[in-house]
Amino acid sequence: MKRKVTLSYELTLPQNIYPKLDRLFNTFMWETRRTVKNGWNEETLKLLEGKGSACSVLKGTAERPSHLPSRFHRNVLEMGGEILRSQIERKKIYEYIAEKPCRSFIDETLIAKELRTSPLFVLNVQRQVRNLLRSGKFERDYLKVANPDFSGNVVITSADDSLCRGQMRRLRLFGDFLEFEIKVPDKKGWRWIKVKKLVPRRLKKALEKAVDVKAPLIKRVFLKSGFTIYRLVVPAEIEVEVPDEVEKVFALDLSPSEKRLGVGVVVSRGEHSKPVFFKALKTVRKLERLLKEISALERKIDRVADQIHLTRSKKHKGRLEKRLSHLFLEQKLRQRKFKELRKQLLEVFVNLVIEHALAYGCEAIAIEELSFKELPEWKDPKMKRRFAMWFYSRFEERLKHKAERRGLRVISVSAGWTS
């Protein structure tokens, strides 16, 4: 059985074009924000509820400014429309709860079943309603409460023409080199800039095997060192062979605790092997230590902020403000370390599961059905706090993406009576 998998490859663009890309990103950001602001009304949101690309829906409602190229304007509409579409489901949940504010204190799973949505999504909106009620700023109209924005750290090109003959960007492969062209704003208008990059061997093989190459995008990345770089992201769709019939399965039970992340067994013709435990004690302890440091910094920040309000000395107040900014930077650094370490842990866990399945000659990996219909009932409250909000959604996605590339099927089974 053949399946299609989309892989994304990144190429760092040369620094000599960064000033031009910076101006392109700023123009794209402000135009997208303007589109979102103009489309933040009931009529536009109802139009976006239907099928079709956001660009085709908004094209009849938004006029193109004379200084913008048509394809650039199309991509702005596509980006703005997707941002507005992401608010539609949240708007429905908010209005349902705002109709009777007491629903913000009801079990989120009950509302999720009624609205057929994620309980975590409902829980997030319930918290928003409760905070608005406490602050006295509660509004029944979601359009007055929310204010969707665009960070401006990505420029999409999906609303342009074909890759080689696009009117906003062009992408061509010549032997070992990749040629990328894009239109950028200039003092005299808009002009093309060209970049020629040596293609890494891994990307070249993927492009040769690719069934289809999707529209590339450019993203802005802020490094830990403080520098900003721009990367070209090229999505390539490849076909992989996945076995139809399965005789040997690597069955995985997720059971996050301080001692282990999961347990796996090899199942073949009614028999099963001894369990394989996936341990991550040192990493989990490091995560716990970072959480404690973040909590301690939060307490310090609260104390220093209180002192700033109480002190009357300008000199002492200035020292306290410097101290507060330093604490905020320390807190941000540890939060970033926590997220990076948790992401790293997930990637290593997924890779280990796949390598074990291949080493034992399995054709598939069986996991329990991972969904947000109910929050995971893990015994360890610490692990629930660390993993529940992201582990389930990311694990299955990453496992399927990586396993299918290696020729392994991923089978979801009911969690009942399968431990």
Side-chain angles (χ1 to χ4, degrees):
M1 179 172 60
K2 289 186 177 181
R3 287 191 183 180
K4 290 183 179 179
V5 181
T6 303
L7 308 176
S8 293
Y9 295 89
E10 295 184 5
L11 287 171
T12 303
L13 295 171
Q15 292 184 0
N16 63 324
I17 64 166
Y18 283 6
K20 298 160 189 174
L21 290 177
D22 191 49
R23 188 164 181 176
L24 173 72
F25 270 68
N26 287 336
T27 307
F28 191 83
M29 179 183 69
W30 290 115
E31 291 298 328
T32 303
R33 285 180 176 178
R34 187 173 62 83
T35 303
V36 171
K37 187 179 178 182
N38 294 339
W40 191 233
N41 53 65
E42 290 285 352
E43 295 77 16
T44 308
L45 292 176
K46 281 181 181 178
L47 288 172
L48 288 167
E49 282 183 11
K51 293 181 180 179
S53 67
C55 170
S56 60
V57 173
L58 296 176
K59 199 174 178 182
T61 62
E63 291 185 8
R64 177 173 67 90
S66 58
H67 66 282
L68 293 181
S70 61
R71 292 303 182 273
F72 181 85
H73 182 60
R74 280 189 184 185
N75 285 290
V76 167
L77 293 180
E78 187 68 33
M79 189 78 248
E82 289 305 319
I83 293 168
L84 292 171
R85 268 183 174 160
S86 67
Q87 294 289 324
I88 292 172
E89 188 177 358
R90 190 181 184 93
K91 179 177 177 290
K92 288 178 181 177
I93 298 169
Y94 181 90
E95 288 175 350
Y96 177 81
I97 295 171
E99 187 181 349
K100 294 179 181 178
C102 59
R103 287 173 178 164
S104 61
F105 300 95
I106 297 174
D107 184 12
E108 64 275 4
T109 53
L110 298 174
I111 298 174
K113 283 179 182 177
E114 189 169 344
L115 299 177
R116 295 180 182 180
T117 186
S118 159
L120 290 178
F121 209 6
V122 174
L123 184 64
N124 193 293
V125 178
Q126 283 179 322
R127 286 173 182 163
Q128 183 185 10
V129 173
R130 289 198 293 268
N131 290 335
L132 290 170
L133 288 169
R134 287 193 200 101
S135 62
K137 297 178 181 178
F138 176 71
E139 288 276 356
R140 292 186 183 274
D141 187 2
Y142 184 69
L143 296 176
K144 293 180 181 178
V145 173
N147 185 24
D149 199 9
F150 175 57
S151 63
N153 292 328
V154 66
V155 169
I156 63 170
T157 64
S158 56
D160 201 0
D161 298 329
S162 64
L163 283 177
C164 299
R165 299 177 182 177
Q167 296 183 38
M168 178 185 166
R169 56 92 187 100
R170 294 167 190 162
L171 187 71
R172 301 183 188 90
L173 185 66
F174 297 105
D176 292 336
F177 291 90
L178 185 79
E179 191 178 89
F180 177 67
E181 292 180 83
I182 190 164
K183 262 187 180 179
V184 295
D186 200 357
K187 291 179 180 178
K188 297 179 181 179
W190 290 73
R191 68 184 184 89
W192 288 93
I193 58 170
K194 187 186 291 187
V195 174
K196 201 171 182 180
K197 290 277 293 183
L198 181 67
V199 182
R201 189 178 297 174
R202 187 181 172 191
L203 175 56
K204 189 181 177 183
K205 285 182 179 179
L207 291 175
E208 287 171 354
K209 292 179 181 178
V211 179
D212 186 25
V213 179
K214 303 289 184 181
L217 59 90
I218 308 173
K219 69 176 184 179
R220 181 162 47 192
V221 182
F222 301 99
L223 302 178
K224 294 178 183 178
S225 59
F227 290 100
T228 303
I229 61 171
Y230 291 91
R231 284 178 179 160
L232 178 69
V233 182
V234 184
E237 194 175 69
I238 62 169
E239 279 189 349
V240 292
E241 285 284 347
V242 180
D244 293 321
E245 295 181 3
V246 175
E247 292 184 2
K248 193 181 284 188
V249 177
F250 188 77
L252 180 71
D253 181 32
L254 292 178
S255 54
S257 67
E258 288 198 1
K259 293 183 180 178
R260 63 175 180 265
L261 292 175
V263 183
V265 292
V266 179
V267 181
S268 177
R269 297 177 184 177
E271 298 178 349
H272 59 82
S273 67
K274 289 183 179 180
V276 179
F277 297 96
F278 296 95
K279 300 179 181 180
L281 184 60
K282 289 184 179 179
T283 309
V284 169
R285 283 180 178 172
K286 194 179 284 186
L287 287 170
E288 186 62 28
R289 178 175 57 79
L290 284 169
L291 279 176
K292 287 180 180 177
E293 289 176 3
I294 291 167
S295 299
L297 284 166
E298 284 176 357
R299 290 193 292 271
K300 287 180 182 178
I301 286 168
D302 290 339
R303 285 200 298 270
V304 173
D306 291 339
Q307 289 175 19
I308 289 172
H309 289 298
L310 293 172
T311 186
R312 293 183 179 179
S313 170
K314 288 184 179 179
K315 191 175 181 180
H316 184 51
K317 190 175 182 179
R319 286 198 296 265
L320 288 172
E321 284 173 349
K322 285 183 181 178
R323 171 69 175 158
L324 188 65
S325 63
H326 174 72
L327 290 171
F328 274 124
L329 286 172
E330 288 292 321
Q331 185 191 35
K332 190 176 180 180
L333 176 65
R334 279 161 178 77
Q335 285 172 343
R336 187 169 60 203
K337 280 184 179 178
F338 178 80
K339 289 178 181 177
E340 287 293 328
L341 189 62
R342 196 172 59 172
K343 184 180 175 183
Q344 190 181 65
L345 179 65
L346 174 67
E347 294 294 327
V348 172
F349 181 33
V350 168
N351 290 337
L352 279 173
V353 170
I354 292 169
E355 291 301 330
H356 274 77
L358 291 170
Y360 287 111
C362 300
E363 293 97 2
I365 300 171
I367 56 172
E368 59 186 292
E369 290 179 352
L370 306 178
S371 65
F372 287 109
K373 291 179 181 177
E374 292 181 6
L375 290 172
E377 295 180 0
W378 294 335
K379 293 179 182 178
D380 191 339
K382 289 182 180 178
M383 294 303 292
K384 188 173 180 178
R385 177 162 56 92
R386 296 183 201 121
F387 292 99
M389 293 300 177
W390 70 281
F391 193 83
Y392 267 19
S393 62
R394 290 291 293 162
F395 179 79
E396 185 177 17
E397 178 193 333
R398 296 301 296 158
L399 183 66
K400 282 184 176 178
H401 184 73
K402 289 192 170 186
E404 288 179 353
R405 286 168 57 188
R406 305 291 293 274
L408 291 169
R409 280 180 65 185
V410 177
I411 304 168
S412 298
V413 297
S414 177
W417 308 99
T418 56
S419 293

